[in-house]
Amino acid sequence: MFEIGLLTIIVLAGLSVVWFTLQLGISPMPSSAKATRAILAASEAAGEGAIIELGSGWGTLLFALARKYPHRRVIGYELSWLPWLYTHLYKSIFRLPNVELYRQSFLAADLSSATLLVCYLFPEGMEQLQQKLAAEHGANRLLISSTFALPASTPEQTTRLDDLYNTPIYSYQLG
Ligand SMILES: C[S@@+](CC[C@H](N)C(=O)[O-])C[C@H]1O[C@@H](n2cnc3c(N)ncnc32)[C@H](O)[C@@H]1O
């Protein structure tokens, strides 16, 4: 009986990840170690203040940022249930009080308080983000985007990773 219950939970959890992947158009694929290191290095160009991750997935980048900047608010928005739940548990177990997690679309969130925005999305998500940023009034924000560029902005800096795809990490000075 216990095994059947456990198996049901595992199957439902797996199905929820598949469902959100189909709904959102992107899986919760985590940033690689190289991408994480490059994003942490690029983040040093941002001013003090809150950091927001747009689609925080399993928290790979979120927790790396929270450890690098323990005195800054590090906020993650994630819609997919299982990664969001995992990051909640991780935050509690590893006691990272500067991390805030919201199971909410970043497209419906107020991003104006952040001095640093970080994302690893997909082309359509970058188009939606471009429209959202154009409609918002935030001053002096740095956006770091892994792999995908904003369609209508020129990055201030592009770093290419030493990996199979020479993955680009784009930095945009916004506002
Ligand atoms: C490729 S993963 C990257 C995860 C994490 N940022 C990292 O680098 O390890 C993209 C994540 O964005 C989430 N996502 C996509 N659109 C979203 C939205 N509108 N609001 C919140 N999360 C979103 C997906 O569920 C997925 O977990």
Side-chain angles (χ1 to χ4, degrees), residues 24 26-31 53 55-57 60-61 77-80 104-107 120-121:
L24 296 171
I26 181 81
S27 74
M29 161 104 88
S31 286
E53 185 171 9
S56 47
T60 309
L61 267 176
Y77 289 96
E78 175 56 55
L79 274 171
S80 188
Q104 181 191 326
S105 172
F106 63 79
L107 295 171
Y120 169 24
L121 292 168

Side-chain angles (χ1 to χ4, degrees), residues 112 114-115 137-142 174-175:
S112 61
T115 53
H137 302 288
N140 291 327
R141 290 179 291 174
L142 183 72
L174 307 171

Side-chain angles (χ1 to χ4, degrees), residues 69-131:
Y69 300 108
H71 303 300
R72 290 168 68 174
R73 290 171 69 204
V74 180
I75 302 159
Y77 289 96
E78 175 56 55
L79 274 171
S80 188
W81 267 105
L82 190 62
W84 174 82
L85 191 62
Y86 172 85
T87 50
H88 249 286
L89 291 174
Y90 187 105
K91 167 190 152 70
S92 305
I93 291 167
F94 291 96
R95 298 202 178 134
L96 293 163
N98 59 327
V99 171
E100 294 171 35
L101 296 159
Y102 297 98
R103 210 195 72 76
Q104 181 191 326
S105 172
F106 63 79
L107 295 171
D110 179 5
L111 309 178
S112 61
S113 65
T115 53
L116 174 61
L117 301 171
V118 176
C119 65
Y120 169 24
L121 292 168
F122 58 110
E124 201 188 317
M126 294 305 288
E127 270 172 41
Q128 293 169 329
L129 177 60
Q130 179 106 57
Q131 286 167 21

Side-chain angles (χ1 to χ4, degrees), residues 6-69:
L6 187 65
L7 191 65
T8 307
I9 289 170
I10 291 169
V11 169
L12 287 177
L15 284 176
S16 93
V17 172
V18 173
W19 193 83
F20 278 105
T21 297
L22 296 174
Q23 288 293 309
L24 296 171
I26 181 81
S27 74
M29 161 104 88
S31 286
S32 67
K34 281 182 181 171
T36 301
R37 279 197 295 276
I39 291 168
L40 289 180
S43 73
E44 290 170 10
E48 284 293 312
I51 299 169
I52 296 183
E53 185 171 9
L54 314 166
S56 47
W58 304 101
T60 309
L61 267 176
L62 188 85
F63 294 128
L65 285 162
R67 289 194 168 98
K68 184 173 171 75
Y69 300 108

